[in-house]
Amino acid sequence: MTIATALAILAALGATSLLAGRLVAGAFRLRWLDPFEPTRAAASAVVGTMGLTVLYGRLSDRGLAAPRILALCALALMGLFVATLVQRRLHVLRPVGRPARWFWLGVALALAAAASLLPLLLAGGYDAGNDTYTYCAFSEWLQGHGFGEPATADPASPVTALSVNQQGRGFPLGAAFVLALARAARGDSSLVLYPLVSAWGVMLVACALWVAARWCLGLSWRLAAAGVIAFALLPHTVYWAHHHGFLSQTYAEAALVLALAVLARRWTRPAGGFSGVVLLALAAAYLVTVYLPFVPVLAAATLVSLAALEARRGGWTASALLSRVGTFSALFLLFAGFSLWSRFKGLLMLVGVTVGGLVPLRWGDWLSVGLGTAACASHGRLVGSLPGLVTPATAAALGLLALGVASTAASRRASGLTAALAVFAALVGYYALFVLDPWTGQRGHTWSVFKSVQWAYPLVFLLQLRGLCAVRRLGRLPLLGAAALVVALATAHAPWSRALGREMRTVIVSEHPYQEATRVRERLAGLPPGELLLLGRPAGRSVWLAAVSALLAHPRPIVADWQDSASLHASQSSSAAEAALEGFLRRPEDSGIIPLLAGFEPFDASGLEPLGGGFFRVRDTSRPLLVQVLAPRGQDDRPVLTDEGRTKLVFLSLHACAAEVRVSTAGAVPALRYQVIAGLVGGPAFRAAVRQTPPARTVAGPAPFRLRVDLARGLTTLALTADSPVPIVEVQVSAAR
């Protein structure tokens, strides 16, 4: 897929969500969303996404697959249009307002989209080695199934295991519903569509912040526009969640911020109570479907906000209380369905589950990440901007936050925002002070602190924006300084995105892996009928190669040795892979097995049919064939001989035979030791096999080295050891004379 096509798909996704939101406003007579001006348009985009997701969830619970749900969603939009037409509310589809306001909203969203897709633009890929696989696998399974249909794990279809696990947990990954709809509409692999759907989640957060700045903080449209543009430029945790596969988080943050804005609007438009109840019920049902951890936060914010509102008015009457609770409950059950126990059982499960990893940040770094002035990369390393800028920027951001807290502390209108932020602050304190880290055994659960800081950032940003408004009274100089800081901090996106984009090259071997992914998928689909067999062990190249291969091959059956592969269970298809290999060895031409190599850059491509992206089909097995190189990688990504015995060459042979292996190196190697082990072994099994086989033999002299080895039937591992690290230039194998 080209970048131009990707941008067009993203624009279509946004337009569909906006249309759905406007039709919901028209059909349900949500007067809070009248007229169709920029602030209501931003709110409508979030409402439309929530509505489509909730509708998908209800239909999927009934066992419907994504293509049928896509058709029913189209019918639902037509029905909403007819209802809007009958009520003579077509004005909800007619844009109004000053062009300048539309222009700056468009600029803010375009910047958010550009920053989200910067890994694709700068490095031709994105980081798919994370929870991306979870959402993509679920999306692929949903193309033929509904969440209400019991899932079964198929050894020849790795994506099915994820759905079985998710059903066991009792709740769906609701954000994947948007991805499943895009997959059904477009037909591309979920792996290709994922960064676009995820970018829309970031844009939704920007939309919700625009609305909250207007409704919750009471800012002018100019300040709201400036704030959202700053949000689009800063290297904050919302982008971290987007880049690292936390799709549910970004989609949920948009709904939570919009719900807080709705709570604030009740203070200025109390007569429009029905609109507020509908929007809150939809947001609550959406969060139950998409991200359960935010449900208690929204509940706390709602109770505090409404209690403060009614206290100002003198308290509730019994009839008013019953009316509000009854209307909300009926709408919530209509939107969320009646199978709520399994959802909240899933929430209890999430409380006790251990996920994530150690986040080794210093206190100053925690502040920078939490305040949006630096991004956290791998191993606790910060992605800063210009040298020496992060510290003063963090101090300024902390000062703005303090001013924002002071200026909103007594504001009943922002009571929901304050309550939600207080919940997140309590979570940070609880995990930092009272919970042991399972990875270090020390006090302070760093991953949970990190997640809580991420969740809180959009609310922190709103208070920083409120603090900036307080500083505005001092003149233009502080505003110009803040703008300069934002632009300078935005420079962190480029190096961060380049590093993220290059990650995809480890699983799809290409300078432009994102575009190559579509071609690989098409070529895999075009192979003759049969079961695909990945030779070797994909994890030897990358722990995520197996997952990516399974996604690109789906729905074709594919088996391999999944040992050490992320998100895949080694036991799921080990026996199936062994059976497929045995069947191919017996009858190579008519076994119905199609052997493949993945993540491979062959030294000798004869006998292989290139499929692109490091994928090859094995066509000629008349001679021994090198199928995998398991070795540390040098700076130019070439395999390297080491003195630790971690360099392994894996060969395929239809028959037991003697072979000659010729190894050329880039530098001098006085002696090369080698050991031949039958089968494909690695990790502890490799070390055990080394002890059980004859001792290593040594070949001395200048390169290239000629090794005579006895290959077993099937796969054979050749372990190499050198006295010093040297890159391997060439490997050739032939039958011994």
Side-chain angles (χ1 to χ4, degrees):
M1 180 184 294
T2 64
I3 298 299
T5 302
L7 294 176
I9 293 173
L10 179 58
L13 180 60
T16 302
S17 299
L18 177 60
L19 175 62
R22 296 312 298 168
L23 290 177
V24 167
F28 285 89
R29 304 183 69 85
L30 303 183
R31 300 192 182 278
W32 278 10
L33 297 183
D34 291 348
F36 190 8
E37 51 83 37
T39 300
R40 274 80 173 184
S44 297
V46 182
V47 170
T49 302
M50 291 194 301
L52 290 173
T53 303
V54 167
L55 177 60
Y56 191 111
R58 293 299 311 278
L59 296 175
S60 185
D61 282 343
R62 294 184 175 274
L64 298 184
R68 291 187 62 187
I69 294 178
L70 178 66
L72 291 175
C73 284
L75 289 176
L77 292 179
M78 293 177 60
L80 291 175
F81 176 79
V82 171
T84 302
L85 177 64
V86 169
Q87 298 181 76
R88 299 181 179 181
R89 287 180 49 80
L90 287 181
H91 63 274
V92 299
L93 300 177
R94 185 172 61 252
V96 297
R98 296 179 180 178
R101 301 184 183 186
W102 285 102
F103 173 78
W104 288 112
L105 175 61
V107 167
L109 296 181
L111 289 173
S116 300
L117 299 179
L118 205 56
L120 298 181
L121 300 173
L122 295 182
Y126 71 99
D127 187 3
N130 43 50
D131 283 1
T132 295
Y133 170 77
T134 300
Y135 294 101
C136 290
F138 193 46
S139 169
E140 293 292 341
W141 182 80
L142 288 172
Q143 301 307 306
H145 309 272
F147 190 72
E149 173 187 342
T152 56
D154 182 358
S157 183
V159 302
T160 58
L162 185 280
S163 303
V164 173
N165 293 339
Q166 207 60 42
Q167 286 187 346
R169 293 168 181 165
F171 59 90
L173 295 167
F177 294 162
V178 182
L179 181 59
L181 284 176
R183 167 74 171 81
R186 173 69 187 178
D188 287 298
S189 170
S190 298
L191 188 71
V192 174
L193 294 171
Y194 178 86
L196 311 178
V197 174
S198 184
W200 177 238
V202 177
M203 296 169 69
L204 286 175
V205 178
C207 288
L209 287 174
W210 179 295
V211 179
R214 298 281 284 138
W215 290 1
C216 196
L217 302 181
L219 303 184
S220 68
W221 74 268
R222 289 183 176 84
L223 287 174
V228 177
I229 289 174
F231 172 83
L233 293 175
L234 290 169
H236 45 68
T237 58
V238 177
Y239 284 122
W240 192 97
H242 158 71
H243 289 316
H244 292 84
F246 289 85
L247 186 67
S248 293
Q249 180 179 320
T250 53
Y251 274 76
E253 283 175 332
L256 178 62
V257 173
L258 180 66
L260 297 177
V262 169
L263 289 173
R265 188 162 177 76
R266 281 193 57 82
W267 289 85
T268 57
R269 297 293 180 89
F274 178 73
S275 296
V277 171
V278 172
L279 293 175
L280 286 175
L282 180 60
Y286 173 82
L287 291 177
V288 167
T289 303
V290 171
Y291 209 50
L292 286 172
F294 280 6
V295 174
V297 180
L298 178 58
T302 302
L303 291 175
V304 170
S305 179
L306 295 184
L309 176 64
E310 296 305 324
R312 188 190 69 169
R313 296 178 183 173
W316 282 313
T317 63
S319 59
L321 176 61
L322 290 175
S323 175
R324 285 173 173 83
V325 173
T327 304
F328 175 86
S329 300
L331 290 172
F332 176 73
L333 291 175
L334 173 66
F335 295 146
F338 292 90
S339 57
L340 293 178
W341 168 241
S342 63
R343 305 295 195 256
F344 288 102
K345 184 176 65 175
L347 178 60
L348 297 176
M349 182 274 297
L350 287 176
V351 172
V353 71
T354 300
V355 297
L358 178 66
V359 184
L361 292 178
R362 298 170 297 180
W363 283 108
D365 296 339
W366 279 111
L367 275 177
S368 299
V369 170
L371 297 174
T373 56
C376 179
S378 58
H379 308 296
R381 180 177 56 85
L382 293 188
V383 179
S385 304
L386 301 177
L389 180 64
V390 172
T391 299
T394 301
L398 183 60
L400 291 178
L401 176 61
L403 288 174
V405 171
S407 60
T408 57
S411 172
R412 292 182 177 180
R413 182 174 178 177
S415 56
L417 169 63
T418 305
L421 191 57
V423 172
F424 289 137
L427 287 175
V428 171
Y430 170 71
Y431 286 116
L433 300 176
F434 301 105
V435 181
L436 296 180
D437 195 311
W439 295 277
T440 65
Q442 299 177 355
R443 193 172 302 279
H445 195 310
T446 56
W447 177 258
S448 294
V449 172
F450 185 54
K451 288 295 294 179
S452 301
V453 166
Q454 288 186 47
W455 294 344
Y457 177 73
L459 311 186
V460 168
F461 177 79
L462 285 172
L463 291 180
Q464 290 172 332
L465 186 58
R466 189 73 182 93
L468 185 62
C469 295
V471 174
R472 187 180 53 163
R473 301 188 184 97
L474 301 178
R476 292 186 177 182
L477 186 59
L479 296 180
L480 292 176
L485 272 180
V486 168
V487 172
L489 290 170
T491 59
H493 282 291
W496 189 19
S497 297
R498 286 193 187 94
L500 290 167
R502 293 191 184 106
E503 289 292 326
M504 200 174 197
R505 301 180 187 184
T506 63
V507 291
I508 300 178
V509 184
S510 171
E511 288 295 315
H512 304 283
Y514 181 71
Q515 297 182 23
E516 191 71 13
T518 300
R519 290 189 284 268
V520 172
R521 178 175 177 270
E522 292 172 350
R523 289 164 184 164
L524 289 175
L527 291 174
E531 188 174 65
L532 305 180
L533 168 65
L534 286 184
L535 296 171
R537 179 171 296 150
R541 170 69 179 182
S542 168
V543 296
W544 293 101
L545 177 57
V548 169
S549 301
L551 288 174
L552 292 176
H554 190 78
R556 296 195 61 151
I558 182 171
V559 293
D561 181 353
W562 304 136
Q563 182 174 327
D564 300 327
S565 294
S567 290
L568 297 178
H569 298 290
S571 60
Q572 182 186 349
S573 63
S574 57
S575 59
E578 293 172 0
L581 178 59
E582 182 61 31
F584 174 75
L585 293 174
R586 285 198 307 267
R587 295 177 291 115
E589 301 301 328
D590 59 351
S591 63
I593 305 297
I594 303 175
L596 301 176
L597 308 181
F600 191 58
E601 296 175 284
F603 295 106
D604 181 6
S606 58
L608 303 177
E609 176 188 344
L611 304 176
F615 288 78
F616 294 83
R617 178 189 178 189
V618 177
R619 298 298 300 265
D620 181 11
T621 54
S622 60
R623 61 182 180 84
L625 182 67
L626 175 67
V627 298
Q628 192 169 29
V629 179
L630 305 173
R633 298 279 165 168
Q635 293 183 351
D636 57 356
D637 203 35
R638 284 193 296 181
V640 176
L641 288 170
T642 71
D643 57 356
E644 301 176 3
R646 289 187 292 141
T647 303
K648 295 178 279 291
L649 309 180
V650 182
F651 298 93
L652 172 70
S653 178
L654 295 184
H655 311 283
C657 66
E660 182 180 86
V661 179
R662 184 175 181 270
V663 180
S664 300
T665 60
V669 180
L672 185 68
R673 296 184 295 278
Y674 68 97
Q675 196 168 13
V676 182
I677 304 170
L680 173 64
V681 289
F686 172 73
R687 291 187 289 273
V690 167
R691 292 191 297 267
Q692 297 170 7
T693 56
R697 288 173 282 181
T698 302
V699 177
F705 297 95
R706 298 180 184 275
L707 316 178
R708 184 180 178 86
V709 300
D710 294 323
L711 299 181
R713 178 176 177 269
L715 298 177
T716 300
T717 300
L718 176 63
L720 303 177
T721 304
D723 293 330
S724 58
V726 177
I728 299 175
V729 175
E730 185 179 25
V731 177
Q732 293 180 337
V733 58
S734 60
R737 298 178 182 177

